Amino acid sequence: MTTSPAIETSGLAIHFKTASGLVRAVDGIDLTVARGAFHGIVGESGCGKTTLARAIVGLQTATAGSVRILGRDRTTWQRDDRKEFARTVQFIFQDPLGSMSRRQTVGQTLEEPLQIHRLGSATERRKKVSELLDLVAIPSTVLDRLPRSLSGGQRQRVSIARALALNPQILVCDEPLSALDVSVRAQIVNLFARLQAQLGLTIVIVAHDLAIVREVCSAVTVMYLGKTAEEGVSKPLFADPAHPYTQALLSAVPSPDPRIEASRSRILLEGDPPSPLNPPTGCRFSTRCPVAVVQCRTAEPALRLVPHTGQAACHLADSGTHPVL
Ligand code: SF4
């Protein structure tokens, strides 16, 4: 018997009507996140990664396509049993403070989901809150404090603890590290990695910092202008990216290996990403791609299999060969 993936999107599109025209924020994404995976979604600002994450959990309405969570259609699941869906999938916001009530103490913040879902007696809920604090390594002395009095790292730990209150199977995290100091980021990354291993969670993390994704994620999706540029298993993909855009993104990431770092040369892309209001015809990366050929301007590349890695949407990536910038 095959087990359905944790998350599966098919032809997912999210378009916005604006005064200037139709913004194709997400434009046909087929994403598969295996159960128990730590899956990173990366790309420059405006590539649609946050919109995609929000659509997965139902915070954004899809224009077309579908989202399946653990094999069930997300839309009907949320409509039929919103509480059960919330006990299965939780979302972690970029700004923890903005996602919490400023008047509630940490203790109240953590107990609230248990009360809403009518889980446990008052004593059992207090015990659960204490366990949650232990899980995210925060001392119980913060229980009566307001979130705004906490450090950025502590706030994000509280928001993670709250997301775990209902024992979800899946966490979808929208840039949970971007508001933190560099020194604190590593601690929160390590926390996610520990929780994933300890609780067997499936974690999707949206990030623009490839170094973090390379460090902890088992799988990665690279997005460019609303589409998947490349996807696959992190280690081989980061070791030998097939898509020129992934190569350029990775070239900007310092290597922890001093020998590799000494020989690292940065690939500088010309220009900014085009507007999703008016994406280029053919390959969306063709206006910035240093190795574009005539075909790239006319025909949109489909995702092609890249041996041992995954898939890349590039005309020049073909059974064992791919462009190298
Ligand atoms: Fe570059 Fe063409 Fe490949 Fe697009 S399809 S990434 S333009 S080589």
Side-chain angles (χ1 to χ4, degrees):
M1 195 180 86
T2 54
T3 311
S4 49
I7 299 167
E8 205 172 15
T9 76
S10 178
L12 187 66
I14 300 132
H15 297 168
F16 302 107
K17 280 184 189 145
T18 69
S20 313
L22 194 66
V23 174
R24 300 168 191 275
V26 172
D27 207 14
I29 294 274
D30 298 329
L31 172 77
T32 301
V33 178
R35 294 190 191 209
F38 200 145
H39 194 115
I41 301 177
V42 299
E44 290 165 292
S45 295
C47 71
K49 55 191 188 300
T50 288
T51 309
L52 171 63
R54 291 174 66 85
I56 288 171
V57 299
L59 291 172
Q60 194 69 62
T61 306
T63 311
S66 63
V67 178
R68 298 186 80 77
I69 306 285
L70 301 173
R72 292 174 68 175
D73 181 84
R74 198 262 304 146
T75 314
T76 51
W77 188 353
Q78 272 187 318
R79 188 192 59 215
D80 295 345
D81 196 339
R82 180 167 282 276
K83 282 190 173 177
E84 188 199 12
F85 184 80
R87 288 195 296 272
T88 306
V89 187
Q90 282 286 310
F91 191 76
I92 292 180
F93 292 85
Q94 183 176 355
D95 172 18
L97 200 54
S99 65
M100 295 178 201
S101 164
R102 290 175 185 243
R103 293 198 197 95
Q104 283 186 331
T105 64
V106 169
Q108 290 167 333
T109 300
L110 295 182
E111 194 175 346
E112 189 179 43
L114 302 170
Q115 287 173 328
I116 291 171
H117 287 256
R118 300 178 193 276
L119 296 175
S121 63
T123 308
E124 287 165 339
R125 289 198 296 267
R126 274 197 296 278
K127 183 165 174 278
K128 176 72 177 176
V129 167
S130 164
E131 288 169 1
L132 289 167
L133 288 178
D134 283 348
L135 202 54
V136 299
I138 301 192
S140 55
T141 47
V142 303
L143 269 178
D144 295 324
R145 288 172 61 182
L146 292 171
R148 68 167 178 268
S149 74
L150 304 178
S151 68
Q154 284 179 323
R155 277 181 213 146
Q156 196 52 285
R157 283 176 194 267
V158 170
S159 91
I160 294 167
R162 186 180 56 175
L164 294 174
L166 301 175
N167 301 321
Q169 296 177 52
I170 300 170
L171 286 186
V172 179
C173 317
D174 177 26
E175 305 233 24
L177 312 165
S178 60
L180 303 175
D181 292 343
V182 175
S183 58
V184 181
R185 281 184 201 173
Q187 296 169 16
I188 300 296
V189 167
N190 290 337
L191 173 62
F192 274 121
R194 175 170 64 75
L195 292 173
Q196 197 251 347
Q198 190 175 336
L199 306 176
L201 294 167
T202 302
I203 299 181
V204 174
I205 188 164
V206 170
H208 63 260
D209 186 340
L210 254 73
I212 284 165
V213 172
R214 183 170 63 183
E215 200 176 317
V216 295
C217 291
S218 53
V220 63
T221 296
V222 180
M223 287 183 67
Y224 186 78
L225 215 59
K227 293 212 173 252
T228 301
E230 185 163 8
E231 63 184 13
V233 184
S234 289
K235 259 198 179 149
L237 190 151
F238 284 130
D240 186 20
H243 197 286
Y245 177 60
T246 316
Q247 292 172 24
L249 276 187
L250 267 174
S251 77
V253 180
S255 171
D257 182 330
R259 284 170 306 170
I260 297 174
E261 181 60 12
S263 60
R264 180 171 69 95
S265 57
R266 178 99 195 253
I267 301 163
L268 290 174
L269 295 175
E270 287 183 11
D272 295 320
S275 165
L277 270 168
N278 189 19
T281 53
C283 174
R284 293 193 173 191
F285 188 53
S286 60
T287 54
R288 299 168 82 201
C289 181
V291 293
V293 295
V294 174
Q295 181 193 16
C296 303
R297 317 234 183 247
T298 54
E300 186 173 345
L303 282 166
R304 294 156 181 245
L305 279 178
V306 178
H308 313 300
T309 306
Q311 304 187 89
C314 174
H315 291 305
L316 304 186
D318 219 348
S319 56
T321 62
H322 58 71
V324 178
L325 299 188

